[in-house]
Amino acid sequence: MEKKRESQCLCFRMEEMSEENIEEVRVLEAQIERLQAEVSALQCQQQENHKDITFNLRGQMQNAMSYVCGQRQGGGKEKVLSKLKEEVEELEEDLKRQTQMNGISLNSCTKKTLQSGGSKLVQKFLLSGHCSELVFQVEFQLSEVKEGQGSERTISDLNVVMDAGDLQNFSGFLSGVEENRDLLLFFRTLRTFTDRCDDRCRTYQHFQEKYPSVVSLPGGCRSEVMNLNHPELPGCVLMVHWSVEVSREGRVTPKVDLLTKIPERALQLFPSQPVGGAAEAFQSLLRILGPEAAVESIIRAVGL
């Protein structure tokens, strides 16, 4: 009787262990299925990325990338790699020429396919680079919808990041670009804006080197302010304020003003002299001579 009871208990435990094992096996099988689905999705994404790369390339580069992606189209490995190197060198030369023409250098460009199927393709781009001394980062989505023999492309979710600390006159324009999703206007205006800032920088450097005893640049050659003062007139300073303003429509306009800083004691010595008229006289010189010649006229007057 005792042996029979022990046998029944043993059978009961074995049934419990069997049910636990079955449940554990089911959990493991479910995890395996999820992992297989994830691997399959990643493989599909990799294939799409390879298709995007090879689709946008032509000639030797396309053949080389097809080889790298496992779609060998004849020829030895060394030959394909040699063609790939040659194509990369040609692309680098082309990129160098493009940079020299438009003044914009791209440091990185990443692309991710968000949707691909049917007649619609959605991709996310992230560009970073610089134009002269200004560093920028642009992120946007590009949607392409095929319609018959053609296709329509639209930009959405445009976001431009720049160093806004020294770009007070540029921030309003950036807001308008993001609202209107006008990427071409951004790059075109960025080039014009940096050109005008570079002109100001070269002019300030030129005058500082030519008139070192009169000209000083407290904020550096890329700042908006240049100080003019005579060594024998301490405290009397003329400040050239040269800003570059940008409208929301992308119109770039240099604006040059002359400001005065004269001690109260000096004003009391010459009460009849209209010190405030210096700014108006400078604006007249600007209209007649232009910025560089007008500024140099003021520098010479201060140096006398």
Side-chain angles (χ1 to χ4, degrees):
M1 189 70 179
E2 185 67 26
K3 291 182 179 180
K4 184 177 180 180
R5 188 178 298 108
E6 291 178 357
S7 177
Q8 289 176 349
C9 291
L10 180 59
C11 291
F12 180 72
R13 289 196 189 98
M14 291 181 65
E15 289 178 357
E16 286 184 343
M17 292 177 62
S18 178
E19 291 178 358
E20 291 178 357
N21 291 338
I22 291 173
E23 183 64 26
E24 185 176 356
V25 168
R26 289 175 180 173
V27 172
L28 292 175
E29 287 178 346
Q31 292 179 350
I32 291 172
E33 290 179 358
R34 287 196 295 269
L35 290 174
Q36 288 176 339
E38 185 176 351
V39 169
S40 178
L42 291 174
Q43 289 175 341
C44 291
Q45 181 64 43
Q46 185 182 31
Q47 292 176 357
E48 289 295 328
N49 292 340
H50 289 165
K51 289 179 181 179
D52 291 340
I53 293 172
T54 56
F55 178 78
N56 292 322
L57 299 175
R58 291 176 174 80
Q60 298 172 357
M61 180 65 84
Q62 188 176 32
N63 294 335
M65 289 307 301
S66 296
Y67 180 90
V68 173
C69 296
Q71 302 172 4
R72 188 169 179 176
Q73 299 179 356
K77 178 179 179 180
E78 293 78 9
K79 183 178 180 180
V80 173
L81 292 178
S82 176
K83 290 182 178 180
L84 176 60
K85 182 179 179 181
E86 181 181 344
E87 187 74 10
V88 168
E89 291 175 351
E90 292 178 0
L91 290 174
E92 288 178 345
E93 287 296 325
D94 183 61
L95 179 60
K96 184 178 180 180
R97 286 192 296 269
Q98 291 292 332
T99 301
Q100 291 174 347
M101 291 174 59
N102 56 38
I104 296 175
S105 300
L106 293 180
N107 301 328
S108 66
C109 176
T110 59
K111 178 178 66 173
K112 181 180 180 181
T113 300
L114 303 180
Q115 179 182 343
S116 178
S119 60
K120 187 174 184 180
L121 174 66
V122 181
Q123 296 174 315
K124 184 177 182 179
F125 288 83
L126 178 60
L127 311 176
S128 64
H130 65 276
C131 184
S132 186
E133 299 293 328
L134 294 182
V135 179
F136 63 86
Q137 179 174 294
V138 179
E139 184 178 14
F140 62 94
Q141 289 187 14
L142 179 63
S143 302
E144 182 177 1
V145 179
K146 295 182 179 179
E147 298 179 352
Q149 298 297 327
S151 61
E152 181 180 357
R153 294 183 177 183
T154 57
I155 292 177
S156 61
D157 298 337
L158 177 61
N159 182 36
V160 181
V161 178
M162 297 183 68
D163 183 8
D166 298 328
L167 297 175
Q168 293 87 351
N169 297 328
F170 208 68
S171 57
F173 166 72
L174 291 180
S175 299
V177 164
E178 292 177 342
E179 292 174 5
N180 299 321
R181 303 182 298 277
D182 198 337
L183 191 58
L184 179 60
L185 178 63
F186 166 71
F187 284 115
R188 185 169 62 242
T189 305
L190 177 64
R191 170 64 188 275
T192 305
F193 177 79
T194 54
D195 283 347
R196 300 292 81 77
C197 291
D198 290 343
D199 291 342
R200 178 186 62 197
C201 178
R202 285 190 295 268
T203 302
Y204 279 4
Q205 284 181 318
H206 168 72
F207 287 144
Q208 187 181 39
E209 295 172 359
K210 189 174 181 180
Y211 305 99
S213 62
V214 177
V215 175
S216 62
L217 304 173
C221 63
R222 302 202 68 86
S223 68
E224 296 182 344
V225 177
M226 177 174 65
N227 288 349
L228 312 177
N229 61 300
H230 195 281
E232 297 180 3
L233 297 175
C236 298
V237 181
L238 295 181
M239 293 176 288
V240 177
H241 185 265
W242 187 335
S243 62
V244 182
E245 300 183 351
V246 183
S247 67
R248 287 179 65 91
E249 296 76 22
R251 186 172 60 256
V252 180
T253 307
K255 183 180 180 182
V256 188
D257 294 307
L258 182 68
L259 308 176
T260 59
K261 180 182 178 182
I262 300 177
E264 185 67 27
R265 183 179 178 182
L267 293 177
Q268 293 175 356
L269 294 176
F270 303 96
S272 61
Q273 298 297 323
V275 178
E280 289 77 3
F282 178 72
Q283 292 300 319
S284 299
L285 287 176
L286 278 177
R287 289 189 292 269
I288 299 172
L289 304 177
E292 291 81 3
V295 171
E296 185 162 18
S297 297
I298 296 297
I299 294 176
R300 290 178 175 177
V302 172
L304 293 177

